[in-house]
Amino acid sequence: MARFSPECAVVLLEHLDTPVTRFLLSHPLLSQIFEPQKKEESSFMPEDAVLASVGIVKCGPDRGLLVSESMCLALEELIQACCAEDEGVPVMLVCGPKNTGKSTFNRYLINLLLNRLPSVEYMECDIGQTEFTPPGCVSLSNITEPVLGPPFTHQQTPRKMVYYGQTSCEQDTERYLDVVKYVFSSYKKEVPLVINTMGWVKGEGLLLLIDIIRLLSPSHIVQMDLCDWKAMALLTPEYVHLTPGLYTKGKQQAKRKRMRVAGAEHWSLPEGEGDASTPEYKLLYVHPEFPRAGVAGKARVHSSILRDMSILGYLGQLQSPDIGAVLPLHSLVPYQVPFNAVALRVIHTDVAPTNIMYAVNASWVGLCRIPDEIRCQSEGPVLLTQTPVCDCLGFGIVRGVDIDKKLYHVLTPVPPENLRLVNCLLLGNIAIPNCVLVGQQGVEGEIPYVTSDYNYNILGSGKLKKKKLGKRREYAFECDYT
């Protein structure tokens, strides 16, 4: 049994005085998620102070995160496979329903591997719960330092990233697979790879997962599910070989031949019927044993808060490294981008060209690079008719559009040398956290982009959502963005 304190992220933020942490702590959203840690009387050793300085604290037996026996066994086998020199580089895919501990398992696995290896590759395929980037991305990252907190504490620039633009791929699963394939092509197979997948494992979600397994060909699959109920089928190599995916075919003919062999304990495919195509991987089954495992009700709302926090963590890079007050975003100087210097595309819906500037203004955009040269005879804007699968170099906020001068005003922490490569802005269904707009300080009169006098009957309009949460352990989850 092993337990880890959930307060590590908050202690870590308080001990590391950086622009990112100051920006995060300046927003009420963080204090609404975590309350100050209650100090407990206990024997305090000198080494405890060292551990506390990096966010690791002791906790009682009724607190922290429970690591089950099956999880320990799976971790031990994966570490042995990664350290073995004669078996190739492992590719480990972690899957399972929502709220079964996939992210925690990945962090624990990465930290254990970094005790033995200089680096680990991590591929994020869960666009709704990204680990190292803002939400809506499929990415490949090289991890060299321990992962000691939730995603908003360790945002970093990945080696390869594509902005999918939504937190769910149900509307366009084909493009999602194209994006996964494009990002995976950058993996050089020099160090072990950990692949995180979505919690969508029912219906078409399971079929899509089978497609991903066939596409990525992992050497190990960690399937997380509960003991008392099965949210998904056991993903044995035989099951994946026989079952059709969403876009790939299974060996149904072989399955029918198998059913005709009455009483046979073992069976083999007829000669020439694709033994080579049968996936070869080791399946490790993990049963999570933490409280409320597999219950996705409140976890769904918690996920939306973590997505907002990841965006806030990314925007924290805009703050000055000097110690001082946090600067509101409207006081920062934006980049000026000519209309005809970048192409523009709205990913998740159709927008009439006459309304495109209304959609882009005050929006979160992916700063991307497409291989085609941007050619425009006029002063723009340049509108793409299809969503490209291309590299995303970072993100920004379009804080203003100057129609007269044909300029976008963009706030972004992406360094200038990378901005020179950007020639495409992708607008998806990822919104700027409401607290960024509502909580602007130092503004006299009406707050920019925020109004209470509006006709909500207009097509496409909507109010800021009010999120109410219950209590999780001793932490209050009372959030009110409006």
Side-chain angles (χ1 to χ4, degrees):
M1 298 284 186
R3 292 182 182 271
F4 303 89
S5 170
E7 295 91 355
C8 288
V10 177
V11 178
L12 183 63
L13 285 174
E14 292 174 345
H15 279 273
L16 300 181
D17 188 10
T18 66
V20 174
T21 56
R22 290 201 306 274
F23 180 74
L24 283 166
L25 290 170
S26 70
H27 281 272
L29 187 57
L30 184 62
S31 61
Q32 291 167 350
I33 298 178
F34 300 104
E35 288 183 348
Q37 176 186 345
K38 296 180 180 179
K39 296 183 179 180
E40 299 176 357
E41 295 183 1
S42 61
S43 58
F44 195 79
M45 304 296 293
E47 58 267 24
D48 295 336
V50 178
L51 293 174
S53 67
V54 294
I56 302 176
V57 296
K58 287 185 176 181
C59 60
D62 59 333
R63 305 173 65 187
L65 183 65
L66 178 66
V67 178
S68 64
E69 181 179 357
S70 59
M71 180 174 173
C72 290
L73 293 175
L75 289 166
E76 182 179 352
E77 182 159 346
L78 293 175
I79 292 171
Q80 291 179 352
C82 291
C83 294
E85 298 181 356
D86 56 346
E87 297 183 3
V89 179
V91 175
M92 299 159 283
L93 184 145
V94 181
C95 62
K98 297 178 181 179
N99 200 34
T100 52
K102 296 188 296 297
S103 297
T104 301
F105 180 90
N106 291 335
R107 293 173 196 147
Y108 194 13
L109 174 60
I110 289 172
N111 292 342
L112 291 175
L113 290 176
L114 289 179
N115 288 333
R116 299 161 176 83
L117 303 172
S119 65
V120 179
E121 295 276 279
Y122 180 86
M123 183 171 174
E124 183 62 83
C125 296
D126 186 352
I127 54 180
Q129 279 299 114
T130 50
E131 186 69 36
F132 298 103
T133 69
C137 300
V138 176
S139 63
L140 180 66
S141 302
N142 185 263
I143 312 302
T144 58
E145 297 181 354
V147 185
L148 298 178
F152 60 83
T153 63
H154 47 250
Q155 295 288 293
Q156 61 177 263
T157 302
R159 286 206 305 109
K160 193 80 166 182
M161 176 170 63
V162 174
Y163 185 45
Y164 183 82
Q166 300 189 77
T167 59
S168 172
C169 67
E170 294 184 40
Q171 291 186 358
D172 195 350
T173 53
E174 188 172 0
R175 181 168 67 89
Y176 173 79
L177 278 180
D178 290 339
V179 169
V180 170
K181 182 178 180 180
Y182 179 78
V183 173
F184 183 71
S185 65
S186 297
Y187 174 56
K188 303 303 181 183
K189 299 183 180 180
E190 297 173 348
V191 296
L193 173 65
V194 178
I195 303 172
N196 185 40
T197 59
M198 299 179 293
W200 182 31
V201 294
K202 294 183 179 180
E204 290 188 351
L206 178 60
L207 304 183
L208 185 64
L209 177 60
I210 291 175
D211 288 337
I212 291 175
I213 293 173
R214 289 173 177 157
L215 178 64
L216 305 184
S217 300
S219 60
H220 297 76
I221 291 182
V222 179
Q223 182 174 351
M224 310 191 75
D225 204 348
L226 304 183
C227 298
D228 55 347
W229 60 278
K230 298 293 185 293
M232 56 189 299
L234 193 63
L235 297 177
T236 62
E238 293 79 11
Y239 179 85
V240 173
H241 179 58
L242 296 172
T243 306
L246 201 57
Y247 296 100
T248 58
K249 296 181 180 179
K251 292 289 183 179
Q252 291 295 334
Q253 182 179 3
K255 183 177 180 180
R256 288 194 295 269
K257 290 183 178 180
R258 176 192 178 190
M259 298 300 292
R260 288 199 295 266
V261 182
E265 295 182 0
H266 302 283
W267 64 280
S268 59
L269 292 173
E271 185 177 354
E273 273 210 25
D275 276 342
S277 65
T278 303
E280 298 180 359
Y281 58 81
K282 180 67 178 294
L283 177 63
L284 304 174
Y285 205 62
V286 173
H287 305 289
E289 297 178 3
F290 59 89
R292 299 184 64 82
V295 181
K298 294 182 180 179
R300 188 179 298 111
V301 183
H302 188 212
S303 298
S304 67
I305 294 178
L306 287 177
R307 286 194 288 268
D308 284 352
M309 294 304 302
S310 293
I311 294 177
L312 292 176
Y314 185 86
L315 292 176
Q317 301 173 64
L318 288 168
Q319 298 297 315
S320 170
D322 299 329
I323 297 177
V326 175
L327 298 175
L329 296 183
H330 64 78
S331 68
L332 302 176
V333 179
Y335 290 94
Q336 294 182 347
V337 183
F339 282 1
N340 58 7
V342 292
L344 189 63
R345 173 67 179 174
V346 179
I347 298 174
H348 60 289
T349 189
D350 295 327
V351 179
T354 54
N355 293 330
I356 195 74
M357 291 306 170
Y358 295 106
V360 173
N361 196 16
S363 291
W364 178 262
V365 293
L367 308 179
C368 304
R369 178 182 59 188
I370 57 178
D372 300 331
E373 182 181 353
I374 304 301
R375 296 179 181 180
C376 183
Q377 302 298 331
S378 64
E379 295 181 343
V382 184
L383 304 181
L384 298 177
T385 57
Q386 292 184 336
T387 301
V389 176
C390 59
D391 293 347
C392 180
L393 305 181
F395 297 91
I397 293 177
V398 180
R399 58 158 288 181
V401 177
D402 192 329
I403 299 296
D404 297 330
K405 296 181 179 180
K406 311 294 183 183
L407 295 173
Y408 303 111
H409 293 176
V410 181
L411 281 174
T412 177
V414 176
E417 58 270 21
N418 291 343
L419 283 178
R420 295 188 183 97
L421 304 175
V422 173
N423 60 359
C424 178
L425 303 181
L426 294 183
L427 170 61
N429 197 22
I430 308 296
I432 301 172
N434 296 337
C435 60
V436 174
L437 301 176
V438 177
Q440 300 180 66
Q441 298 179 357
V443 178
E444 296 182 2
E446 292 188 0
I447 301 176
Y449 308 111
V450 177
T451 181
S452 58
D453 184 15
Y454 193 76
N455 182 7
Y456 294 104
N457 294 323
I458 297 176
L459 181 64
S461 66
K463 300 179 181 180
L464 295 181
K465 295 181 180 179
K466 184 176 182 180
K467 300 177 182 179
K468 293 183 178 180
L469 295 175
K471 289 186 179 254
R472 179 174 177 262
R473 296 180 183 169
E474 68 269 29
Y475 306 106
F477 272 58
E478 297 176 358
C479 298
D480 188 350
Y481 297 101
T482 55

